Structure formats: C-alpha cells, structure tokens
Amino acid sequence: MEHKHQEFILWFNEIGKDDIPLVGGKNANLGEMYQNLTKAKNDTFPHEKIQVPYGFAVTAYSYRYFINENNLDKKIRDILEGLDTNNIRALEKAGLEVRELILSAKFPADLEDAILSAHTRFAKELDLSGMELDVAVRSSATAEDLPSASFAGQQESYLNIRGKHNLLEAIKKAFSSLFTNRAISYRVDQNFDHFKIALSVAVQKMVRSDRGASGVMFTLDTDSGFREIVLINGSWGLGEFVVKGVVTPDEYMVFKPTLKKGYDSIINKKLGSKKKKLIYSHEGTNPTKEAPVHEADRNTFVLNNEQILKLSKWGVIIEDHYKRPMDMEWAYDGLSQELYIVQARPETVQARKDETVLLDYVLEEHGKVLTEGAAVGSKIGQGKARFVKDPSQLNEFRQGEILVAEMTDPDWEPIMKMASAIVTNSGGRTSHAAIVSRELGIAAIVGCGNATEVIPTGTDITVSCAEGERGKVYEGILEYRINKTDIANFQAPKTKIKMIVADPEFVFTNSFIPNQGVGLAREEFIITNFIKIHPNALLNYEKITDKEVKKQIDELTTGYENKVDYYVEKLAFGISIIAAAFYPQPVTLRFSDFKTNEYASLLGGREYEPVEENPMIGWRGASRYYDPNFKDAFALECKAVRIVREKMGLYNLEVMIPFCRTPEEGMRVLEVMEKNGLPHKKVENARHKHNIKSELDEALHVWVMAEIPSNILQIEEFAALFDGFSIGSNDLTQLTLGLDRDSKIVAHIGNERNNSIKSLIRTLIHKAHLLNLPVGICGQGPSDFPDFAEFLVREGIDSISLQPDSVLKTSIRLRELEESLKK
C-alpha cells in the first residue's frame, strides 16, 4: 500500500511482523498471524488453522498526529524533564499530569472520522444481525513485544467496548497509557527514549470468553527455559484476571516432540482454584465486572484434552513461524465454542538465558516456614518484608525489601524493580508478578493464599524457590550458596553418566546438566508427594469406614469421579515429565519399592500393610507385584507406564524391577506385566542399543536391580529374562555383609568398597558382558569415593547414575581417570 506510513487506519490483512514502527508489536503480530496462519496450511499440523479475531489498527501515525495537533509534545517533555523514576511520588505526579493532558485533548476531525468510518465498516463486515458491535481495544507500542524486551503489561487493554463514543474514549485512554507510571519507569530502565516510541491501538472483535475461558500460553517452560514443552494457563472469564494474577489458574503442559508425531502428549494438568472471573457488565459505566465462580466450576478444568492439544499445536505453529519461543494469549468463546489466539509476542526472559552457565541455589539451613506457594524460578531472596495493600503505599517501599501483596499490578513495577523478592496471595506461574520477577531475575512465590496475613511488615524473611515446585517463605535470614558451573567446554567421559531423579519438579532444570539419560527414576517420590494415598485405599474406596480418611481422600481427588483414575493419571504425569525432560535419552523407571512401613504411612495404608520386624528385607519390590494383596495396585503402575509410552509417545521410558530375589519371581512379575499390557520381548544385543533408541525401537526394555547376592550368583538365569542389570550398592552391601542398614549400631560396617562387595560387582560386570548385557550402578559411592569410581571404570562398567549435583564433578574426574588409564 502506498503511503502506508501515513495512514490513520490499517486492517489486520494489511500489516505484518515488519510493521512494528507503524502499528506497534501487538498489532504487527496480530496482522502477521491473521495473514499467514489463519488460512495457509503448515507442514507440522496440516489440518490446523489458527483463529485470530479480525480487526484494525489505529496507527502510530494517528497517535503522533493526535499529539502534534493538540500541541502536547513540548508540555509532556517539560513534565518529564529530569524525572527520577525511583522517587515514587514524583513519578506518580508526572505520570498523572501527562495522562490528564492526553485525556483532556480532542481528536482532530479527520482522525475521528477515519476511526468511526472503520468502526462502521467493521460492524457491516461482521454482519452482527442487529447486535451491537463489542470490541477489545488494546494498546500496541512501537517498542513493545520485541525479542529483547517484553514490556509486559506496560499499556492498557479495554474490553467489551460498545458504541462510537466509548470507542473514542477507550482509544484516548490507550494513548494516555503510554505514560502510565510503570511504562515511564520501564522505558528509563531499558534506555528507551520516551519520544521515539509511539502508540498504536488494536480494535479487535471481542471473543466471548466472559461466557467461556481464557489464559496465556508459552512455547517453553517459563521457569527453567526448557524448550520442548508448551505451557498453558487458563481460568474462567475474560483474560485480564489470569494475566494480572488475580486468580490461580489451571496449568497444562504438553510435550512438543511427540505432539508433532501425533500423540496425545499432555504430560501434566493441575487444577487451579479459579475463585473469581471477569465478565461483561450491563450496568453503570464499567463494561466489565468481577463475579464469583461456582464451586463446581472451580473444581473443573477450563479446557478439555482436545482443546489443550489444539492450543498446543497452534503454539507450535506460531513458534515455527517466528522461529523463536513465543508468549501468547488465548480465549475460548463460550457462545461459538471456538478457540482464538488474541495476542502473540516473543518470549524475552528464558530465550535470552546463557545455557552454557548453570546456576544452582542451595539453601544451607532451614527455619520456621511462614507460608508457601508456587515457586517462580529457582533462586533465593532475602530481606525485610513489606506488605503493600494498595497504590497509596508504594512510596513507602525501600530498596532491597521483599514485596508482599495480595497480587501485583503493572503500576507497581517501579517498586518491583527495587525488591529482592516478591510474595503474593494469588496468581499462577504466568501471572504479572511471575513474569516481571523472571525478567528482573529475582525469586517470587505466588498463590500463597495467606502471605499478607502471616508475614508482618518489617520481618526478616528468606524466600526460597530452590526446593522444588513449592516455594517456601522462611522466618529469618538463612544461609545459602550459589554454585556456578560453566559447561561450554565440557567433554563427557566414555563411561555413560546418567542421573538419579525422584522429583519431577526439578527435572527440566536438571536436564541442562550434561547427561546420557536417567539410570534410576524413583517412583516412590511421585506417590508420596503427589498422590499421597495408598493405591488399595482407592481401589476399595467404597469400603472405607474411617470418615476422616475418606474426607482427606475426597479433598485430594477433587475433580476425579473415579478415584482410581486419580492415582493412574497423577502417576503417569509424574513419570512423563521425567521421561520428557531427558527425551530421547533412556529413562529407567524403577517400579515402586516402598517397604511395608512406608506404604502404611500413605493415606489409608495401615489397613493394607502388615507389621514387619525388618521391613528392609520383607514384603517389598518384586514380591509385591504378583501377590493377591497387591497385584491390582501394581496393575495401576503398569497402566500409568502404558499411558506414558503409548498415549504420550515417550518410548524412551524403560522400567526396572527392584528386589527380585529369584529368577522364578522375575518370571512371575513379567507375566503380571504382560497381563497388564506391558509384554516384554528380550532385546537382542541390548548392551549396544541402550543409549539412544531409534524412532522405530518401541520395545519395552526391562532391567533388574542387582542388589541381592542371588542376582549375581544366578546371573545366567536372570540374564535370560532381563535386558540389563543396575547395581543397588546399598542393599547389596547390606545383604552381603549381613547387616541392617537402618541400625546405627552396625552401620559403620557397611561400605561398598569392601572386598566382598567389589568381588560380586566384578563378577557381575564380567559375566553380564559375556552375555552381552549392560551393567550400571545407582548411588553416591562413585562420587564420594574416587577409588571406588576408579575400580568401576577399570572393571568396565557401562554407566554410572548419580544425583544431579554430583554429575559434573564426577564426570570430570572419570574423564581424567579414563585418560590416565590409556597411558
């Protein structure tokens, strides 16, 4: 179009991603998607076409024309001259003066005519059948949504705008929002000139998410930067409450590599509390209002699986088009029952992270926990707490304090940049507080519920996001350290280094540590921390007579009609996150290895567990899986594994049988697995195939723990059943030396470097290799004892599995050892 740069109005089908100077980042991306992704087929998902609500842009030229025609430029310059954005009172005063100048100015007649003509044309094109046109008016700054700066929440959006007068007023408000306090402060921090930035406005058909749902979507994990997932947050009603952190939304996670292969690769779902929603208002001057969410809807996911997968595919298509991780907003129209993408911008925090340097925050002492919530990132922050209730208290905030609030608002960014950490009552991991804290590089805990009640202003606190998904606020200033590791020039040893993992919450971060998969994924942690209920209590739910136990089970299984589905789905999600984090490297899941006293401690477990004098050598591991009293519970574990492999496409998942006393017992377990849909066919030449599998290798690899002397004394019989051996050095030491490792009296005798233990390990490695089977070891021995590591390497062990914090130092040590052995 000729003279495009001097047009008052440009429609979405006339603009694209190169038009940021003309229509700002938001509008440029809306036009880009509307033109290129709503009609054209894509290679990855040829049957998917993204839906973007149509609209037009009031251009940056219009804004400049408005400012010039009203002679506002010099007046604004004078107000902002010499402004110190750290002086909150001065910032508030200057921002208010500039906004009032703009709001009191009038539209030039030709600009007003152009806007109203576009509005009339828009209504005709949409053919509203007599209904009044309702639009969203969104600010779009010419320095917004850039790959280098997010400007998240810097300008305003106005929803459900009806009528020509209200449209003009909303556009004027949008113009003035270029000078909100937070926008002024942010531009100063980012070294952007106030007067080289202009504001365009999107006028877009409203998606009736007031009758449906809305939220945000990222094409990476916002905390770790892990790039292989799509992360979706959603809540009922219009999207402002999710973005601003007013509600704690649902969270969904989808694994991109297997999604692209056609699998239903939803690897996690979490139900949010969703207590409020924003809907249309039909009274007064405010076009929207807050409303409570009915309890049934609070306990229901806002998206079904089909919708989650569709949105995820759209996210992948958009990411592929822009060739970078993206941050999007979506809406579900409850009237038309259609999904839409209403915004898209480059993700600007994790995408810029240096992946060659690993930072590990470690809390070295613990104290009284005041509250906890969802951890944002993995850092630690400390300082004096200050509860800020409303904007009138912003000027009281001091550098280095910890901001405690019900929720944060974009207007609070001038003090957020002064904070050493942020703690909020509400909001999720994609709320305003979470996004800004990541950009600022500080710890944040959101969705605590009671932070403002239990953390008094002036209290010294430590905010720890370094202990998993649940962040904790501790009383006092606690000691911590930061481990910094440069992996740019890392060279792996010949011996495969794998990880021992238990907590799915850490695995995306741990996946950045150089590794060759997971040699031991502990299922027990998932059951204890995420499920919390004994499987037999769920299988026999109707027979439970203890009212208190039943009440607790009901609370934990909210949203699940079938209690058994809760166990299977939660277990499958925990396993799948681990398998996804290390895909396509092999991940070896050890089936549950609780002792009877540990199983009894699960909710409802005492009724199903015997009391044993020595549970360590009692009813555990393989002996449970075929037992009539547990085989139905083991069937649930098999079902979860099938879901992860067959439904989610994570065929890198292998399984391992613990504490298998005899070959006959091993055979019985394999038979039970086959009855539950996990047939095992011995994999030929497994030793040479157990690293990265080909895409066609969907065979289930089954390992056995070598932790009982019988496993080694009858190695030929065990080798005929399984694909590999994993040495459990703790139990092997206990059972070889005849000691109870739980007994402090004889604990000093237990040492895997004992010659009898080393003799058994040497025999296992040599004989297994003659049978062409791999041997690994899981435990800290090789990390804690260099001479033991040297022994294992000399004997030719195939892999060593370690806790994540030991991987790098042990890898370096083993590489040096391997080099010395060559000489």
Side-chain angles (χ1 to χ4, degrees):
M1 179 188 295
E2 263 188 76
H3 308 302
K4 196 172 171 182
H5 61 287
Q6 289 187 340
E7 294 286 338
F8 288 142
I9 303 294
L10 289 171
W11 294 82
F12 286 178
N13 63 358
E14 299 174 321
I15 53 180
K17 63 183 179 182
D18 297 328
D19 291 320
I20 291 176
L22 306 182
V23 295
K26 190 171 289 136
N27 277 329
N29 288 328
L30 285 169
E32 179 72 17
M33 290 189 296
Y34 186 83
Q35 287 201 75
N36 296 289
L37 303 179
T38 59
K39 303 173 185 66
K41 285 190 174 183
N42 66 88
D43 293 335
T44 309
F45 301 109
H47 301 296
E48 290 293 338
K49 291 182 181 179
I50 293 170
Q51 297 202 104
V52 176
Y54 193 49
F56 61 87
V58 180
T59 63
Y61 173 73
S62 297
Y63 165 81
R64 292 192 177 98
Y65 187 75
F66 175 89
I67 295 293
N68 291 336
E69 290 295 302
N70 284 284
N71 299 310
L72 298 181
D73 188 273
K74 185 176 185 307
K75 295 175 184 176
I76 295 172
R77 287 180 185 275
D78 290 344
I79 293 170
L80 297 180
E81 180 97 34
L83 176 65
D84 176 9
T85 56
N86 289 319
N87 184 330
I88 303 299
R89 286 193 188 281
L91 177 61
E92 288 174 343
K93 181 174 181 293
L96 183 61
E97 284 184 34
V98 174
R99 293 193 297 276
E100 286 182 343
L101 268 181
I102 295 172
L103 291 171
S104 62
K106 294 185 183 302
F107 277 102
D110 50 353
L111 175 56
E112 181 172 318
D113 287 344
I115 293 170
L116 297 182
S117 296
H119 183 267
T120 301
R121 172 184 158 187
F122 196 22
K124 286 180 179 176
E125 287 186 5
L126 292 173
D127 188 19
L128 298 169
S129 303
M131 294 177 65
E132 190 175 21
L133 173 61
D134 53 342
V135 296
V137 174
R138 304 180 189 278
S139 308
S140 179
T142 55
E144 183 183 43
D145 298 344
L146 303 176
S148 57
S150 75
F151 287 77
Q154 293 307 308
Q155 278 76 51
E156 296 288 0
S157 293
Y158 305 92
L159 306 178
N160 186 25
I161 302 302
R162 296 165 183 257
K164 294 184 175 181
H165 171 75
N166 290 335
L167 174 64
L168 292 172
E169 286 303 301
I171 291 171
K172 201 187 290 185
K173 286 178 183 176
F175 282 172
S176 75
S177 75
L178 191 59
F179 293 95
T180 57
N181 303 339
R182 78 254 185 182
I184 296 169
S185 173
Y186 191 88
R187 287 196 295 270
V188 169
D189 292 343
Q190 296 285 332
N191 295 315
F192 280 90
D193 187 328
H194 297 298
F195 304 98
K196 288 185 178 175
I197 295 173
L199 194 111
S200 173
V201 179
V203 179
Q204 189 177 25
K205 176 70 179 82
M206 277 294 298
V207 176
R208 292 300 302 271
S209 56
D210 62 304
R211 299 287 190 91
S214 54
V216 297
M217 173 166 63
F218 291 82
T219 58
L220 49 57
D221 179 52
T222 51
D223 285 336
S224 66
F226 182 71
R227 301 237 178 153
E228 300 300 339
I229 65 156
V230 176
L231 180 70
I232 302 171
N233 276 191
S235 194
W236 300 114
L238 300 168
E240 299 297 289
F241 276 11
V242 175
V243 175
K244 291 184 175 179
V246 178
V247 294
T248 301
D250 294 343
E251 182 174 292
Y252 314 104
M253 198 178 286
V254 177
F255 188 53
K256 289 190 285 191
T258 55
L259 178 71
K260 293 176 182 178
K261 294 179 180 179
Y263 290 97
D264 295 349
S265 55
I266 301 168
I267 61 171
N268 203 16
K269 288 165 64 174
K270 292 181 190 170
L271 193 67
S273 56
K274 309 184 296 290
K275 294 180 181 178
K276 307 172 185 176
K277 62 180 176 179
L278 189 67
I279 60 172
Y280 278 17
S281 173
H282 300 290
E283 313 106 24
T285 57
N286 197 331
T288 59
K289 66 179 182 180
E290 180 183 302
V293 174
H294 297 300
E295 187 174 358
D297 286 338
R298 291 183 197 176
N299 296 331
T300 304
F301 287 112
V302 302
L303 293 174
N304 60 37
N305 287 1
E306 184 182 347
Q307 292 165 331
I308 295 167
L309 293 169
K310 178 182 278 290
L311 268 182
S312 298
K313 290 172 184 176
W314 288 5
V316 170
I317 292 167
I318 294 169
E319 178 180 60
D320 288 349
H321 181 77
Y322 281 90
K323 296 181 172 57
R324 57 170 59 95
M326 297 296 287
D327 164 3
M328 293 145 283
E329 293 181 25
W330 61 270
Y332 175 68
D333 191 313
L335 298 181
S336 69
Q337 299 187 342
E338 298 281 351
L339 283 165
Y340 294 88
I341 298 293
V342 295
Q343 286 192 46
R345 62 178 73 87
E347 195 280 338
T348 60
V349 179
Q350 295 295 348
R352 290 183 286 165
K353 190 172 75 171
D354 183 358
E355 294 182 359
T356 65
V357 177
L358 302 177
L359 294 179
D360 183 25
Y361 284 70
V362 181
L363 193 64
E364 295 195 305
E365 57 178 332
H366 294 80
K368 179 183 176 183
V369 176
L370 299 177
T371 187
E372 60 180 74
V376 178
S378 58
K379 293 185 176 181
I380 295 172
Q382 299 176 321
K384 288 192 181 299
R386 182 170 295 278
F387 169 33
V388 177
K389 187 175 183 180
D390 56 57
S392 68
Q393 299 176 317
L394 295 181
N395 64 297
E396 299 171 10
F397 198 84
R398 298 291 175 265
Q399 186 75 37
E401 291 182 329
I402 292 176
L403 174 60
V404 180
E406 172 63 36
M407 64 177 189
T408 64
D409 184 275
D411 282 330
W412 294 19
E413 284 186 38
I415 67 166
M416 293 170 79
K417 69 183 184 185
M418 299 161 59
S420 59
I422 298 169
V423 182
T424 67
N425 284 354
S426 60
R429 292 201 299 144
T430 56
S431 63
H432 177 263
I435 290 171
V436 172
S437 66
R438 288 188 197 98
E439 187 162 341
L440 294 172
I442 59 175
I445 299 176
V446 297
C448 296
N450 64 346
T452 57
E453 299 167 24
V454 299
I455 307 175
T457 292
T459 307
D460 283 332
I461 58 174
T462 296
V463 176
S464 173
C465 298
E467 299 166 83
E469 188 178 69
R470 299 296 291 172
K472 296 178 181 177
V473 179
Y474 292 96
E475 189 174 67
I477 305 297
L478 305 180
E479 290 290 324
Y480 73 94
R481 71 177 190 275
I482 305 173
N483 297 331
K484 186 174 181 180
T485 308
D486 187 346
I487 59 170
N489 299 312
F490 175 81
Q491 289 183 294
K494 182 182 176 183
T495 306
K496 292 179 176 64
I497 300 298
K498 299 184 179 182
M499 288 197 194
I500 300 172
V501 300
D503 189 347
E505 296 166 355
F506 284 108
V507 291
F508 290 150
T509 298
N510 290 338
S511 71
F512 290 101
I513 300 170
N515 68 87
Q516 290 177 288
V518 173
L520 171 60
R522 292 192 175 108
E523 197 180 284
E524 301 84 52
F525 187 96
I526 301 169
I527 296 171
T528 302
N529 286 36
F530 297 97
I531 297 174
K532 303 179 182 180
I533 307 169
H534 194 289
N536 280 337
L538 294 170
L539 285 162
N540 298 282
Y541 172 77
E542 300 300 333
K543 298 178 183 177
I544 296 174
T545 55
D546 188 320
K547 291 182 180 178
E548 182 57 32
V549 168
K550 205 160 193 175
K551 179 187 174 186
Q552 291 181 55
I553 290 175
D554 288 342
E555 288 173 356
L556 285 169
T557 58
T558 297
Y560 290 86
E561 287 185 27
N562 186 322
K563 306 299 180 184
V564 172
D565 288 348
Y566 165 83
Y567 189 93
V568 174
E569 185 170 91
K570 286 282 187 183
L571 184 56
F573 283 155
I575 296 167
S576 66
I577 291 172
I578 298 172
F582 297 91
Y583 183 91
Q585 299 277 16
V587 169
T588 306
L589 173 77
R590 184 179 67 189
F591 282 124
S592 61
D593 192 24
F594 281 126
K595 289 74 177 172
T596 48
N597 58 324
E598 293 168 334
Y599 256 125
S601 67
L602 293 172
L603 187 59
R606 299 203 180 279
E607 187 175 338
Y608 301 100
E609 297 297 327
V611 175
E612 296 184 300
E613 288 297 324
N614 192 340
M616 189 69 73
I617 52 174
W619 191 38
R620 59 176 287 202
S623 61
R624 298 183 73 99
Y625 304 156
Y626 56 87
D627 191 294
N629 293 316
F630 193 80
K631 67 178 182 179
D632 289 342
F634 179 64
L636 304 184
E637 297 180 40
C638 294
K639 188 174 182 180
V641 169
R642 280 193 69 187
I643 289 171
V644 174
R645 285 171 52 83
E646 297 170 20
K647 186 177 180 182
M648 302 178 186
L650 290 161
Y651 284 103
N652 63 322
L653 180 67
E654 307 175 341
V655 295
M656 182 154 63
I657 311 300
F659 223 75
C660 187
R661 293 175 170 94
T662 66
E664 292 75 21
E665 191 168 54
M667 178 64 76
R668 294 186 72 176
V669 171
L670 292 174
E671 288 170 355
V672 172
M673 287 172 58
E674 183 163 6
K675 286 179 183 176
N676 286 290
L678 293 178
H680 174 238
K681 183 180 179 182
K682 272 278 292 176
V683 180
E684 294 180 13
N685 301 318
R687 188 180 174 210
H688 302 295
K689 292 180 66 176
H690 78 290
N691 189 17
I692 301 178
K693 301 179 182 182
S694 72
E695 291 186 14
L696 297 175
D697 182 10
E698 297 178 357
L700 176 65
H701 292 205
V702 183
W703 292 58
V704 66
M705 293 290 291
E707 53 192 344
I708 306 169
S710 62
N711 301 140
I712 299 165
L713 294 171
Q714 287 188 279
I715 186 170
E716 287 84 359
E717 291 89 338
F718 280 102
L721 300 174
F722 298 105
D723 300 316
F725 294 90
S726 181
I727 299 165
S729 57
N730 286 337
D731 273 323
L732 185 62
T733 300
Q734 172 184 236
L735 297 173
T736 302
L737 298 179
L739 57 87
D740 179 353
R741 75 181 200 218
D742 281 348
S743 169
K744 294 179 181 178
I745 301 170
V746 294
H748 66 280
I749 301 171
N751 183 344
E752 56 259 71
R753 293 181 294 169
N754 180 282
N755 282 334
S756 60
I757 312 301
K758 290 168 77 171
S759 178
L760 285 171
I761 291 174
R762 181 184 295 113
T763 298
L764 174 68
I765 294 172
H766 290 187
K767 286 192 173 183
H769 285 178
L770 289 174
L771 297 166
N772 211 18
L773 291 184
V775 179
I777 187 169
C778 305
Q780 281 302 101
S783 175
D784 296 339
F785 306 115
D787 61 319
F788 186 57
E790 181 175 349
F791 158 74
L792 293 169
V793 171
R794 285 183 183 277
E795 298 301 331
I797 197 151
D798 295 284
S799 64
I800 296 176
S801 297
L802 303 161
Q803 298 290 347
D805 61 356
S806 302
V807 167
L808 285 170
K809 68 178 182 181
T810 306
S811 295
I812 293 167
R813 186 184 297 152
L814 289 183
R815 182 170 173 77
E816 292 170 351
L817 173 60
E818 288 171 354
E819 291 297 318
S820 69
L821 292 175
K822 288 179 184 177
K823 297 175 182 177

